[in-house]
Amino acid sequence: MPALLLLSGPSAGLRYEIQAEATIGRSPSCEIPLPEDDHVSRRHARFFVQEGQVRLADLGSRNGTAVNGERVSGEVLLHPGDRVQVGKTTVLVEPLGAASLAGTVPEGTRLLPVEEVLPHVGTEAALYSAGAALLGATSEAMVLRRIAEASLHALNADAAAALLGDSKGLLTAAVVGAASVEVPRDMARATLERSEQGRSAGALCSPLVASGGLPFGVLYLERSEPDFSEADGRLAAMLGRLGGEAYAAVRSRAGSQPVRVDMAGNSRPFRKVVEQARRAAASAAPVVLSGEPGTGKSLCASYIHARSPRALGPLVRVDCRDTASLQEVLFGRASGPGVPPVASALLHADGGTLLLHHVELLPRALSERLARLIARKTAPALQGGEEPVDFRLIVTAKAPPHVLAVKGELEASLVRQLAGLELAIPPLRERRADIPMLFELFAARSARASRMEPPVLAPEARQLLMDYEWPHNVRELELLAERLALVHPGAQLHALSLPPEIQAGSATPPQLTLQERVARLERDAIAEALRTAGGKKIVAARLLGISRPTLDKKIEDYGLTVTRRRA
């Protein structure tokens, strides 16, 4: 059954299934009420299912309804992963899941409150309590503190400690029940080097260890009486394993940040790429994004992930230029004394998207191993061997895979695994109509961060930016806009405000194709006609022998500025 997930706004986190239709708005009578969102009309929009597909209709709302950033009117078809903006509320269209609700309660079913089912005493209760605490830990230090606290209570100890390091020196990470503890050296050495549990009358030392590796720390407990039993030892071993797994998991997740998607442009080549990216988002096939450096391949990958059914899953990025740590990042690392394990990027991406930047720089040996794992849909397991994974693969490259394979820059086995969708991201010089808008976007963002007013382009400066070849593409334009926004806040930017290379134009203009030459001649002819007509479009259209709507369309495509001359 189709479902909607509220990602932001006063009701963020709520989920609604659509059986036939559902109205969203401030009115309590709406199936999806948003009483606290004052930017929403009483009956704002209607979601409904038609022939198994979700559709949306705006109900004449005051502030309008947007789908993926574009305001809509009338009825529109929604796809899995689409984001609908209603006031302050963002609604995600969820894909159909493999499991759904159907039928009635089977005869003879017993329904019990879950609190009566959960364990409250004994070993099961101790493990449940520790597991719940560890799952809620948000940092490595919190994991160690919580496992020490859980062990203290579960084993009725006087003091408990979680320590990291090797037999040569332990780092006290967390101590509860006492100001300090002293761990017998021989007991710690046996625990760390031979993965043995040490137990005496009043002390117990058990490994902190994750699957398949050597201990990287110890869990130490003291109590005056009674002596630790074999049952206590078994419980301490299980708690040490839970703590080790939780520590490794939190460490692996550290540093991940949500990706902000920001694609902008209205030129014809850019609109084509955006449409291709939308179709790619609905597919599960691998995607190859090729193009020159700085064209926005990374942003396009983020855009595809954000619109895909895997949008709520992780987007794991791996830069293949970092050859020093690439093998460990891609395939993980087992734990050793004082060294916790590292999960592979393939494991991190399970349920989401794996993005490989500059895939042509991946060494041959790693390419072959990666191709085998992708073909088997497995990843290196922390405990050794392999385990199944499910991720979507996106790569960026300087050229299409078959071109790289012919040059010997990409392993053939990996090329076969990349067979799917290919998107060529155009360089900035092929989408000149977007240059003024992108400059203003970057300048405004930089000025906003500095709490200043953005600069304004004068017509001659705008034309120079349009004529420049931009060898480093969008990234070069972004850096220029940010710098000018800081140097000339709120001022009008004239030609002399621009760098010398832009004032002088391209020193070595590239060889143009016939189509590019014709386009440049057409643009110059339109600009000359507009100047001759004093900015009057109807007169310029008559001089060019074309209709006024055709002239308007070409002015938009070429990003021309129309200046009216006063009589």
Side-chain angles (χ1 to χ4, degrees):
M1 182 180 297
L4 305 174
L5 177 63
L6 275 56
L7 297 180
S8 65
S11 302
L14 297 181
R15 183 177 182 274
Y16 296 91
E17 292 186 347
I18 307 177
Q19 295 182 352
E21 69 175 33
T23 303
I24 187 170
R26 282 191 297 110
S27 173
S29 64
C30 292
E31 288 79 7
I32 307 177
L34 302 174
E36 300 179 7
D37 195 335
D38 52 7
H39 287 70
V40 173
S41 301
R42 288 185 58 80
R43 292 176 60 82
H44 196 102
R46 181 172 68 100
F47 297 90
F48 60 99
V49 179
Q50 184 176 349
E51 297 179 354
Q53 295 180 309
V54 182
R55 294 180 176 272
L56 169 72
D58 184 88
L59 299 178
S61 61
R62 184 178 70 254
N63 294 321
T65 304
V67 177
N68 302 315
E70 299 179 3
R71 189 159 178 168
V72 300
S73 60
E75 294 183 3
V76 294
L77 175 65
L78 300 179
H79 301 281
D82 279 348
R83 296 182 182 228
V84 180
Q85 192 69 36
V86 177
K88 299 178 182 178
T89 300
T90 302
V91 182
L92 175 70
V93 181
E94 286 191 346
L96 292 175
S100 59
L101 300 176
T104 58
V105 177
E107 187 176 351
T109 299
R110 295 179 60 200
L111 301 176
L112 297 173
V114 70
E115 291 299 328
E116 295 182 14
V117 180
L118 294 173
H120 296 282
V121 294
T123 302
E124 287 185 345
L127 293 174
Y128 165 73
S129 178
L134 293 171
L135 284 172
T138 57
S139 67
E140 298 161 21
M142 189 183 296
V143 168
L144 297 171
R145 186 176 70 251
R146 288 187 175 183
I147 193 60
E149 292 171 347
S151 302
L152 181 81
H153 297 302
L155 295 165
N156 296 315
D158 299 325
L163 305 99
L164 298 179
D166 54 30
S167 56
K168 297 178 182 178
L170 289 171
L171 174 66
T172 302
V175 176
V176 294
S180 62
V181 295
E182 292 183 2
V183 182
R185 183 176 298 276
D186 292 341
M187 188 180 287
R189 181 179 293 113
T191 297
L192 286 165
E193 295 180 355
R194 300 190 297 273
S195 194
E196 295 177 349
Q197 185 181 84
R199 190 172 75 246
S200 65
L204 194 157
C205 191
S206 203
L208 278 174
V209 60
S211 305
L214 296 174
F216 57 87
V218 300
L219 180 62
Y220 178 74
L221 298 109
E222 291 179 346
R223 75 182 182 197
S224 55
E225 59 180 18
D227 295 346
F228 286 108
S229 64
E230 291 185 8
D232 291 333
R234 287 192 295 270
L235 180 54
M238 289 187 282
L239 290 170
R241 177 65 179 274
L242 283 175
E245 296 287 1
Y247 186 91
V250 171
R251 187 181 181 90
S252 297
R253 293 194 301 267
S256 60
Q257 296 292 333
V259 177
R260 179 173 179 235
V261 180
D262 188 9
M263 294 183 71
N266 294 316
S267 65
R268 192 176 302 170
F270 184 80
R271 290 198 301 265
K272 180 180 178 181
V273 169
V274 171
E275 183 56 35
Q276 290 175 334
R278 288 177 178 172
R279 290 198 295 267
S283 169
V287 180
V288 178
L289 303 172
S290 61
E292 299 175 5
T295 51
K297 299 187 291 293
S298 179
L299 280 176
C300 188
S302 301
Y303 184 80
I304 292 173
H305 171 76
R307 287 180 58 87
S308 74
R310 299 174 182 270
L312 297 182
L315 174 60
V316 179
R317 300 170 181 268
V318 176
D319 193 337
C320 297
R321 294 174 297 184
D322 189 7
T323 55
S325 60
L326 187 55
Q327 180 168 341
E328 181 177 299
V329 171
L330 265 180
F331 306 117
R333 181 195 66 206
S335 65
V339 182
V342 175
S344 68
L346 281 69
L347 274 180
H348 283 308
D350 191 20
T353 301
L354 176 63
L355 172 57
L356 301 179
H357 291 292
H358 310 284
V359 70
E360 69 273 9
L361 300 179
L362 194 62
R364 179 175 297 274
L366 300 188
S367 296
E368 293 175 346
R369 184 180 179 188
L370 178 62
R372 290 194 298 268
L373 291 171
I374 293 174
R376 292 197 293 262
K377 296 184 178 181
T378 59
L382 284 175
Q383 66 272 21
E386 297 176 4
E387 62 182 273
V389 290
D390 174 28
F391 60 80
R392 205 267 182 88
L393 183 63
I394 301 179
V395 304
T396 70
K398 63 181 180 181
H402 67 276
V403 175
L404 296 172
V406 170
K407 295 181 178 180
E409 298 181 15
L410 195 59
E411 175 63 28
S413 58
L414 184 56
V415 172
R416 289 192 292 271
Q417 298 305 320
L418 294 176
L421 304 173
E422 296 183 11
L423 276 70
I425 311 301
L428 188 56
R429 61 181 176 273
E430 293 181 10
R431 40 180 295 212
R432 295 181 185 275
D434 293 335
I435 291 175
M437 182 187 65
L438 289 173
F439 180 93
E440 292 167 0
L441 174 68
F442 297 142
R445 188 174 64 192
S446 178
R448 188 165 54 248
S450 305
R451 297 184 178 181
M452 297 185 294
E453 290 295 320
V456 179
L457 285 171
E460 68 272 19
R462 180 187 296 264
Q463 191 60 50
L464 284 172
L465 291 180
M466 296 277 289
D467 291 338
Y468 185 57
E469 293 300 326
W470 299 105
H472 303 291
N473 294 296
V474 178
R475 182 57 180 157
E476 183 181 4
L477 176 63
E478 182 180 11
L479 292 174
L480 174 66
E482 290 175 352
R483 181 165 62 86
L484 292 178
L486 295 176
V487 176
H488 305 286
Q492 188 174 43
L493 296 177
H494 297 282
L496 294 178
S497 305
L498 301 178
E501 64 271 17
I502 296 181
Q503 295 181 39
S506 177
T508 56
Q511 295 296 322
L512 301 178
T513 65
L514 178 60
Q515 185 178 2
E516 290 169 338
R517 290 177 184 273
V518 170
R520 178 164 291 190
L521 289 172
E522 185 179 53
R523 186 188 69 175
D524 293 342
I526 293 173
E528 179 62 28
L530 287 169
R531 284 193 293 270
T532 302
K536 296 180 180 180
K537 295 182 182 180
I538 189 68
V539 176
R542 190 181 306 118
L543 292 173
L544 293 167
I546 59 177
S547 66
R548 169 68 182 274
T550 300
L551 177 62
D552 288 335
K553 184 67 172 61
K554 291 185 179 294
I555 290 173
E556 178 187 357
D557 288 343
Y558 292 125
L560 294 172
T561 302
V562 180
T563 304
R564 292 288 298 267
R565 264 202 325 263
R566 293 185 178 181

